[in-house]
Amino acid sequence: MSTQPALVLVEPGKTEVRQIDIPTPEPDEVLLQVNRVGFCGGDLNGFRGLFELQEYPNVLGHEVGATILEVGSQVPDQLKPGMNVTLNPYLNCGTCLSCRKGRPNACQDNKTMGVRRPGAMTKFISVPWQKLHASSQLSVRELALVEPLTVGFHAVDRGRVVAGEKVAVIGCGIVGMGAVAAAVNRGAEVIAIDIDDAKMQIAKLAGAAHTINTTKVDLHETLQAITDGDGPDVIIEAVGNPATYRAAVDEVAYTGRVVYIGYAKKPVDYNTGTFVRKEIEILGSRNCLGDFPDVISYLESGKFPVDAVISREVSLAEAGAALADWSANPGPITKIMVNLDNESSR
Ligand SMILES: [Zn+2]
Ligand SMILES: [Zn+2]
């Protein structure tokens, strides 16, 4: 069996390019040539040793833009060699309560590629056809952005955002950017909040009506001014920091909704009277649920600032160093993408 290079997260703080086997597709699988893989905030936390689900060593990568090379004998006709696709990297158990309730994104034994099973940061992977989403209009680069954007789209769905509402998104990394885009797409007036001006510029390109840099102006006063003293109808937290967790409930309007996507790494102190007095809803949001087609058609509309979001493109050989750089200096980076097109072929 021939082998191919893959980026392996060996242990916290250490990556290596190692040779792995080139897979042979099963009858219900599709062999993909991987063209682009994005680095995720989850990869960053795995690299930092801060992601409790991360297994080591493991091939990284779950944000994939690929081309179909071969299809197994049981794969339906609509998937054909040459098509550009992305994939759903989650694998739910099918039997836990969440799965039985039709909420596989909250599966109690979910295994995401690159986290609890081998990822896609290599040249060829084989995937069950049911996991694929194709687009005849999107480039492999755009397709690699679909999965991270679905996470923000799902959060906006959880928050039941409707046209005309004022929606604040705290944190404008790629996940927050997906929430900005999804809320704008629903006709909301979006307030993007971050500590980095470059990210907020991108949020504006994605349609945010207002931006707030909390290192320069007071969050509370600025939100009050934008919302005529009411506070935002919905606040989506995409940072995972105790201070932003608290700010979300403190700043949301009476009867508003708070959606948490970020994982706070420390316990958060709340004045719980706020929950009751304002009668707010507090919602968790995990991965995505049926959001792939929505994100694909949104990207096909051409409204998303793809080029501005991709901060850097690197080769597989440079990928480990790029992840270490990102870890050392996360501020201005939205998305690092690994370009595998020039890796040696089979
Ligand atoms: Zn991701
Ligand atoms: Zn399950």
Side-chain angles (χ1 to χ4, degrees), residues 40 62-63 147:
C40 171
H62 62 257
E63 303 178 357
E147 189 273 336

Side-chain angles (χ1 to χ4, degrees), residues 108-341:
Q108 293 164 39
D109 193 26
N110 174 59
K111 292 185 169 67
T112 302
M113 283 175 80
V115 180
R116 295 184 62 200
R117 58 198 176 96
M121 221 164 264
T122 188
K123 192 70 192 173
F124 304 103
I125 58 170
S126 193
V127 210
W129 68 267
Q130 295 92 336
K131 294 286 178 193
L132 298 181
H133 295 271
S135 169
S136 57
Q137 292 174 50
L138 297 183
S139 66
V140 287
R141 210 161 163 255
E142 292 168 317
L143 283 160
L145 284 180
V146 172
E147 189 273 336
L149 292 176
T150 61
V151 180
F153 269 62
H154 181 58
V156 166
D157 204 44
R158 292 284 288 153
R160 307 191 305 280
V161 170
V162 296
E165 286 189 311
K166 292 191 169 79
V167 177
V169 177
I170 309 179
C172 293
I174 187 70
V175 167
M177 212 67 82
V180 167
V184 168
N185 209 32
R186 288 187 178 205
E189 182 178 333
V190 176
I191 307 154
I193 303 166
D194 203 283
I195 56 173
D196 185 85
D197 282 331
K199 282 182 180 166
M200 290 187 310
Q201 276 312 110
I202 301 173
K204 281 213 152 162
L205 294 175
H210 315 272
T211 58
I212 302 176
N213 183 333
T214 54
T215 66
K216 294 184 179 165
V217 295
D218 183 76
L219 178 66
H220 176 71
E221 280 171 18
T222 316
L223 280 175
Q224 290 286 302
I226 292 170
T227 61
D228 304 322
D230 290 332
D233 302 293
V234 179
I235 296 191
I236 296 172
E237 200 277 358
V239 179
N241 180 312
T244 48
Y245 254 69
R246 269 193 304 272
V249 297
D250 289 343
E251 299 301 336
V252 76
Y254 274 67
T255 73
R257 283 99 71 201
V258 170
V259 184
Y260 288 123
I261 321 177
Y263 276 79
K265 285 153 197 91
K266 294 185 197 133
V268 181
D269 282 325
Y270 283 107
N271 180 353
T272 57
T274 311
F275 306 172
V276 180
R277 193 176 65 252
K278 289 186 177 177
E279 199 174 55
I280 56 176
E281 288 175 68
I282 298 181
L283 301 147
S285 183
R286 179 175 169 194
N287 298 344
C288 68
L289 183 66
D291 301 277
F292 273 78
D294 288 349
V295 173
I296 287 174
S297 54
Y298 167 72
L299 284 174
E300 286 175 348
S301 75
K303 284 183 265 180
F304 193 69
V306 171
D307 291 329
V309 162
I310 299 172
S311 319
R312 206 175 155 194
E313 237 183 63
V314 297
S315 69
L316 186 63
E318 298 163 333
L323 184 59
D325 284 354
W326 189 25
S327 178
N329 183 23
I333 303 249
T334 308
K335 180 56 69 187
I336 300 169
M337 211 167 265
V338 181
N339 180 341
L340 294 129
D341 280 347

Side-chain angles (χ1 to χ4, degrees), residues 92-96 99 107-109:
N92 65 301
C93 76
T95 55
C96 75
C99 286
C107 173
Q108 293 164 39
D109 193 26

Side-chain angles (χ1 to χ4, degrees), residues 44-118:
L44 183 63
N45 285 326
F47 181 79
R48 290 169 163 176
L50 296 174
F51 186 20
E52 71 273 18
L53 293 177
Q54 181 71 53
E55 293 181 5
Y56 308 88
N58 202 359
V59 178
L60 286 174
H62 62 257
E63 303 178 357
V64 180
T67 313
I68 296 181
L69 278 185
E70 282 173 38
V71 294
S73 57
Q74 291 166 20
V75 174
D77 275 355
Q78 74 256 25
L79 294 170
K80 294 189 175 66
M83 290 174 86
N84 285 352
V85 294
T86 187
L87 58 83
N88 181 330
Y90 310 115
L91 184 67
N92 65 301
C93 76
T95 55
C96 75
L97 179 71
S98 308
C99 286
R100 295 199 312 272
K101 288 173 91 172
R103 305 271 291 273
N105 60 311
C107 173
Q108 293 164 39
D109 193 26
N110 174 59
K111 292 185 169 67
T112 302
M113 283 175 80
V115 180
R116 295 184 62 200
R117 58 198 176 96

